[in-house]
Amino acid sequence: MAEAAPDDLKTVVLNDKHVALGGRMVPFSGYSLPVQYPTGIIAEHKWTREHAGLFDVSHMGPSFLVLDNKSGDGEADHAAIAAIVEPLICGDIRGLKPGQVRYTLLLNEQGGIHDDLMVARPAADGWGGALYIVVNAGTKETDFQRLAAAAAGKATLNRSDHCALLALQGPEAAAVLDAIVPEAVELGFMHYASFDWRDTKLVIARSGYTGEDGFEILVDPEHASSFWDTLLADGRVKPIGLGARDSLRLEAGLPLYGHDLDETVSPVEAGLNFAISKRRREAADFPGARRILAELDGVLERVRVGLLVDGAPAREGAPILDQHGAEIGRVTSGGFAPTLNRAIAIGFVSPAHATPGTRLQVLVRGRAQPAEVAATPFVPHRYVRKASK
């Protein structure tokens, strides 16, 4: 039975659509969101792997950071806006090409991860001096505060979290979108642009959080309902809730902020070395650089690993044990993987126990169960690196 949101929770633009579809609404990051629909999490998970799943991720924090005074020189304006953001993160924003999206990390002074986020450079002419930034829901208020403080007197942060942000994911996502906004299918992975649809603009990125090919689409509140309905009118598309979103990202080996990532975990411990751009490493000009560069040189006490678990799923907080029963770490995410038909987990252990194939144990309800360190992703990613058309 679908339920209305409690008074203390925010609702997304499409809340009534989810309730009407029988979505089981639960609290998540201060919002009322559907954890599943009547078909159930496993069916939704498998549908996304085989067809196209439609996720409402409007609780996230999309925004646009725009220079207050542009020079008119696109490259100079881009360098100026990049200079505002880069002191907060470890990514090379200055080096972004028009239309390119970069995954990066907002760091604290100790090198811990305050959030992971997407930063993109607009492709359209005349958009030098602007960035499209999407942050996580749970930290968006503090993220926006940090960005606004860094931009004070130089740029303005325009929040777009009143809009709908939809994720269309799965092997048939491109074919579905091709029938609605065909130009968007020409995007390659981690690129974005704005597209006309009816009498509005859609901001579409080829990206996602499932390991599948797909798109994340920002649409204004006035057109959100009709766009949602247009997508669902295609028989290849079904609505998917937070439960399957979590199992899909776990199979894809993708970390979840607040669970696998937090203020104590560094990018190196998290296995996100790729997010520390080469130019930034060489300049050592990002927060926590001393710690992070030392870890890159091997001074490392723990690392994130994947685990294949025999028996019942090991949930967050479950102790990870060596073969002698000594605790060597903790599970940070765990559950059942429908694609593999077995339990999997993510956790942190010492580098000495992190080699794939290492036999370990996890403690589940007081019982030690066999586990094996596995390379991630557990299920191969199927991103489309180049344009489809």
Side-chain angles (χ1 to χ4, degrees):
M1 177 73 70
E3 298 178 358
D7 292 340
D8 59 341
L9 291 178
K10 298 177 183 177
T11 57
V12 294
V13 174
L14 296 170
N15 179 77
D16 291 349
K17 291 287 187 181
H18 303 310
V19 172
L21 288 168
R24 182 158 72 86
M25 310 303 286
V26 300
F28 185 83
S29 295
Y31 285 81
S32 177
L33 295 168
V35 67
Q36 66 179 75
Y37 297 91
T39 53
I41 292 173
I42 291 178
E44 292 173 22
H45 179 112
K46 291 182 176 180
W47 184 271
T48 305
R49 287 273 184 252
E50 297 168 3
H51 303 287
L54 180 59
F55 303 76
D56 186 347
V57 292
S58 304
H59 58 298
M60 301 287 283
S63 65
F64 293 87
L65 185 66
V66 183
L67 279 181
D68 292 336
N69 297 295
K70 298 182 184 181
S71 70
D73 181 329
E75 290 304 317
D77 288 340
H78 175 66
I81 200 78
I84 293 171
V85 174
E86 284 192 349
L88 305 177
I89 62 175
C90 55
D92 179 6
I93 304 306
R94 191 179 73 196
L96 282 176
K97 296 179 174 61
Q100 187 177 11
V101 181
R102 178 150 289 152
Y103 173 87
T104 189
L105 303 165
L106 188 65
L107 302 174
N108 61 33
E109 291 303 319
Q110 292 72 45
I113 300 171
H114 178 73
D115 195 14
D116 58 340
L117 62 157
M118 296 287 199
V119 181
R121 178 180 178 179
D125 293 339
W127 271 85
L131 295 172
Y132 177 43
I133 301 174
V134 182
V135 302
N136 275 306
T139 55
K140 71 177 174 181
E141 297 302 330
T142 54
D143 289 1
F144 285 153
Q145 288 170 11
R146 289 188 182 198
L147 289 165
K154 295 173 284 188
T156 300
L157 184 70
N158 298 312
R159 294 176 60 155
S160 296
D161 54 335
H162 62 292
C163 298
L165 185 61
L166 306 178
L168 183 67
Q169 302 281 293
E172 293 183 334
V176 170
L177 197 60
D178 187 34
I180 303 169
V181 192
E183 299 86 355
V185 183
E186 298 177 10
L187 293 168
F189 179 60
M190 295 297 279
H191 284 77
Y192 96 107
S194 294
F195 301 92
D196 292 320
W197 182 74
R198 297 184 179 171
D199 57 348
T200 190
K201 286 279 189 182
L202 304 175
V203 176
I204 303 179
R206 196 160 199 163
S207 59
Y209 194 50
T210 61
E212 296 290 338
D213 181 30
F215 304 83
E216 293 179 308
I217 306 157
L218 184 69
V219 54
D220 67 70
E222 292 75 19
H223 295 84
S225 180
S226 58
F227 188 69
W228 171 270
D229 289 344
T230 299
L231 289 172
L232 284 184
D234 190 309
R236 295 168 290 189
V237 182
K238 289 189 183 298
I240 311 296
L242 291 173
R245 178 174 163 85
D246 191 56
S247 58
L248 288 158
R249 72 90 191 169
L250 184 58
E251 287 187 347
L254 300 174
L256 176 62
Y257 192 83
H259 300 266
D260 313 300
L261 309 177
D262 61 33
E263 296 273 1
T264 71
V265 176
S266 76
V268 185
E269 290 176 329
L272 300 174
N273 300 19
F274 72 91
I276 312 166
S277 299
K278 180 180 178 182
R279 177 175 65 82
R280 307 300 304 281
R281 293 187 195 191
E282 293 173 348
D285 61 351
F286 52 88
R290 182 175 180 180
R291 169 193 175 183
I292 291 170
L293 293 175
E295 290 177 344
L296 286 170
D297 286 337
V299 183
L300 196 59
E301 295 183 359
R302 61 178 180 173
V303 291
R304 182 170 66 95
V305 296
L307 296 170
L308 297 173
V309 178
D310 292 345
R315 304 295 181 179
E316 181 178 357
I320 302 172
L321 315 175
D322 66 14
Q323 288 289 70
H324 305 290
E327 184 173 331
I328 58 169
R330 291 267 172 172
V331 169
T332 50
S333 289
F336 179 73
T339 306
L340 304 177
N341 196 33
R342 64 171 305 157
I344 59 174
I346 289 172
F348 286 81
V349 299
S350 69
H353 296 94
T355 303
T358 301
R359 298 295 298 173
L360 299 174
Q361 303 176 87
V362 290
L363 200 60
V364 179
R365 295 189 290 273
R367 178 185 176 188
Q369 297 180 182
E372 180 180 316
V373 177
T376 57
F378 298 99
V379 174
H381 296 164
R382 295 197 284 186
Y383 304 131
V384 172
R385 300 288 173 179
K386 295 183 179 179
S388 299
K389 298 174 69 176

